[in-house]
Amino acid sequence: MTTRKPLGIGVISLGWMGRLHSRAYANVTKHFPDLEVAPRLVAAADPVPQAREDALDILGFERAYEDYRDLLADPEVDAVSIASPNFLHHEIAMAAIEAGKPFWIEKPMGVNAAQSREIALAAEKAGLVSAVGFNYRHTPAIEYMRTLVRDGSLGRITNVRVWFIADYNSSPLSPLTWRASREKAGAGVVPDLMSHGADLAQYVVGRIDSVSAITDTFIKERPIPTKMGVGHSGFEIGDEVGPVENEDYVAALVRFDNGAVGTLESSRVSVGPRAEYVVEVYGTEGSVRWNFERFNELEVCIGDGGPTHGYTRAMANPAWGQWAHFQPAIGTSMGFDDMKVIEAQQFLSSIATSTQLAPSAADAWCAAEVDEAVVASAADGAWHTVPRVSAPTTFDR
């Protein structure tokens, strides 16, 4: 029987992501029985009374605070999740670092690259491990795609296509939330969706060196909500409207350090695609394609197959990534929530071993630098070099 060291967990903000973090902690040892620590849901923090009630009655926390500062001061909280809106990430992360708490934070890690830089460097100086919500990395098909790229099976990588196209904001009647505010979100779809695509491109292929981009805002005003919701649902709206302050579409050309080129495209207002998040990698000896809407599949084409040349549909299986911790055989499926369990495992293992195993705050800073270069390029029409980060990242290991 595995003896695990208890680890007190605090979760700050119980929206969609905060609840997902909570469930991931609750399930992680069921899937990873060899984990060296046992997460204990000590406390949650949220200013909404119903969220605090849910923390105790549904999610299984021992106590709930209105103010996140009280959670960080709780001596039984050893590590924290930060799942608040973007504009609070910097403030809360810096407070967590000051309190000496390792943290698992959702991306983007702030409203600009400067905030992300400060968090990453402060965490490194404090010697704290971190984790960032780049959960698409942990999809077994993406892990296998990365293996094929990195072991040379595709030959020299020539070009990459990544697009994250969604329709969750395609209705002009979708509410005006904090995501449309420059003060509270920074840019719009760039840090919201495109940053996931940029991180996947870098995780699979290598660092992005420079970008040239365009952006646009297709829906320029939205109704102001009269009742707040959770995530992208549960809102009620009135007749009053307000301006959308940031972009809802982006397209970028990119150059990688290794000489490959590529395109990144994202939209949150496209009618039709529900969550068409696609990564395609092309090389001199083959190519691979993945679509989040067919999460458990990978299209693979390697070499010249003669008259039957083309893609083979490969199903996720126990040889790919962490698949074996969730499903026993080919043909069954994993889902989005499972990726968060893998994130929790990587975060907790990073704490247990004092080794940065999870995507780090430096990885989030690197993604923020890509985001900022894209926004700058869209503003002036020029190519922009992506600044190198000065803290160790995990995507290039």
Side-chain angles (χ1 to χ4, degrees):
M1 180 177 178
T2 301
T3 300
R4 304 184 188 94
K5 179 182 177 182
L7 188 77
I9 297 295
V11 175
I12 298 172
S13 188
L14 290 177
W16 173 35
M17 280 294 122
R19 292 169 192 250
L20 190 46
H21 281 224
S22 304
R23 296 197 300 271
Y25 286 125
N27 290 322
V28 66
T29 57
K30 299 180 180 70
H31 292 284
F32 295 91
D34 293 332
L35 194 64
E36 296 180 35
V37 295
R40 168 187 160 213
L41 297 179
V42 172
D46 198 292
V48 179
Q50 184 61 56
R52 296 197 296 276
E53 290 181 27
D54 290 349
L56 302 174
D57 299 340
I58 297 173
L59 296 172
F61 286 92
E62 297 173 16
R63 45 191 173 270
Y65 298 110
E66 182 176 1
D67 193 324
Y68 76 84
R69 297 172 187 84
D70 295 328
L71 182 149
L72 291 176
D74 190 324
E76 295 186 49
V77 171
D78 301 308
V80 298
S81 279
I82 302 170
S84 57
N86 299 359
F87 63 95
L88 294 173
H89 282 181
H90 177 264
E91 170 189 322
I92 297 173
M94 295 304 291
I97 293 167
E98 178 68 22
K101 314 279 188 182
F103 59 94
W104 173 13
I105 190 170
E106 282 302 310
K107 46 64 59 191
M109 206 165 59
V111 297
N112 53 45
Q115 288 189 353
S116 296
R117 175 182 183 275
E118 187 173 358
I119 294 168
L121 292 180
E124 182 185 28
K125 182 178 180 180
L128 294 174
V129 300
S130 55
V132 179
F134 290 126
N135 48 290
Y136 299 102
R137 282 190 187 192
H138 313 311
T139 308
I142 289 292
E143 295 283 18
Y144 184 59
M145 175 188 283
R146 186 176 194 264
T147 297
L148 293 176
V149 170
R150 298 299 175 105
D151 72 8
S153 294
L154 305 183
R156 177 176 59 85
I157 302 305
T158 55
N159 59 294
V160 182
R161 297 177 65 208
V162 179
W163 66 94
F164 270 52
I165 307 293
D167 72 344
Y168 67 82
N169 229 13
S170 61
S171 170
L173 297 180
S174 294
L176 186 74
T177 69
W178 62 266
R179 294 178 187 276
S181 164
R182 285 204 173 274
E183 178 184 0
K184 295 183 176 181
V189 75
V190 170
D192 188 7
L193 287 181
M194 193 213 73
S195 61
H196 272 302
D199 179 71
L200 280 183
Q202 296 192 120
Y203 181 63
V204 172
V205 175
R207 181 184 172 275
I208 293 173
D209 172 73
S210 56
V211 301
S212 176
I214 57 170
T215 61
D216 209 332
T217 305
F218 298 143
I219 300 177
K220 299 187 182 302
E221 62 180 21
R222 294 186 178 277
I224 296 172
T226 56
K227 177 186 175 183
M228 301 306 293
V230 175
H232 301 303
S233 62
F235 292 85
E236 295 180 4
I237 59 173
D239 295 329
E240 188 178 358
V241 299
V244 175
E245 298 175 353
N246 49 30
E247 81 291 339
D248 51 32
Y249 175 83
V250 59
L253 299 173
V254 303
R255 296 189 180 104
F256 293 84
D257 276 348
N258 59 16
V261 297
T263 61
L264 303 175
E265 184 181 16
S266 284
S267 170
R268 56 188 182 190
V269 296
S270 295
V271 177
R274 303 315 310 265
E276 194 171 83
Y277 306 155
V278 177
V279 180
E280 298 182 349
V281 180
Y282 297 87
T284 55
E285 302 295 332
S287 63
V288 284
R289 305 191 302 194
W290 175 78
N291 185 339
F292 176 71
E293 292 185 350
R294 297 192 297 275
F295 183 92
N296 293 284
E297 303 175 15
L298 188 67
E299 290 185 286
V300 183
C301 179
I302 297 177
D304 184 356
T308 60
H309 181 65
Y311 285 99
T312 297
R313 185 185 67 135
M315 295 292 292
N317 62 77
W320 294 5
Q322 301 291 349
W323 174 272
H325 288 275
F326 295 85
Q327 298 296 348
I330 300 172
T332 49
S333 297
M334 291 177 65
F336 183 85
D337 287 18
D338 295 330
M339 300 305 101
K340 283 297 180 186
V341 175
I342 296 173
E343 278 189 70
Q345 180 267 335
Q346 289 192 344
F347 177 47
L348 297 173
S349 292
S350 296
I351 294 171
T353 63
S354 299
T355 303
Q356 186 64 55
L357 303 172
S360 68
D363 292 67
W365 172 20
C366 187
E369 293 289 3
V370 175
D371 293 347
E372 204 144 290
V374 164
V375 172
S377 175
D380 66 15
W383 277 89
H384 279 251
T385 298
V386 178
R388 291 183 178 273
V389 303
S390 57
T393 60
T394 64
F395 69 75
D396 53 1
R397 285 198 302 227

